[in-house]
Amino acid sequence: MSTLNVFVTAVTKGAGISKKSGAPKPYSFAQVHYLVPAKGFVNDDNNIQKLGYEEKTISMKDDQSLFNQFGSVQFPCNLQLIMESDPENPSRNIVTDFSDVAK
């Protein structure tokens, strides 16, 4: 288990049937959206400068009750995300719970 303190802007949960690749294929996902300081990019050919923040996403356990728990917070807000290994891909972490940083 690991934790990450972030400024959360939104949570998304979706499901449906994709018809892009011919045969219909069901899909389901859940994500937490959060802000990080914007980072520029400089190399021999590019100089991209950034100020402010940019949004990142991290996968969340695809669970309706966890999604519903996020309904108790007012966005945007500082939260501590609790993460565990993704059972479908143990090399990455997914959000499995959260707590309010202010508490």
Side-chain angles (χ1 to χ4, degrees):
M1 180 175 74
S2 62
T3 61
L4 177 66
N5 291 345
V6 292
F7 193 67
V8 176
T9 57
V11 177
T12 304
K13 180 170 174 14
I17 298 175
S18 174
K19 298 176 183 170
K20 286 197 280 186
S21 60
K25 182 179 177 183
Y27 69 88
S28 177
F29 68 93
Q31 298 174 322
V32 177
H33 306 268
Y34 62 98
L35 297 180
V36 297
K39 290 185 180 179
F41 177 77
V42 177
N43 68 14
D44 292 339
D45 298 324
N46 303 290
N47 182 356
I48 300 170
Q49 300 176 38
K50 293 184 177 184
L51 300 171
Y53 294 89
E54 53 192 15
E55 189 174 73
K56 298 279 186 176
T57 61
I58 187 169
S59 293
M60 176 177 89
K61 182 178 175 184
D62 193 0
D63 177 73
Q64 187 65 48
S65 63
L66 177 58
F67 180 81
N68 293 345
Q69 287 177 37
F70 278 98
S72 67
V73 301
Q74 287 203 326
F75 297 99
C77 57
N78 285 313
L79 295 177
Q80 180 180 61
L81 302 179
I82 299 165
M83 298 176 293
E84 295 179 14
S85 293
D86 182 348
E88 294 181 21
N89 181 356
S91 66
R92 74 176 190 164
N93 287 331
I94 60 172
V95 175
T96 56
D97 202 356
F98 68 93
S99 63
D100 190 343
V101 173
K103 289 184 180 179

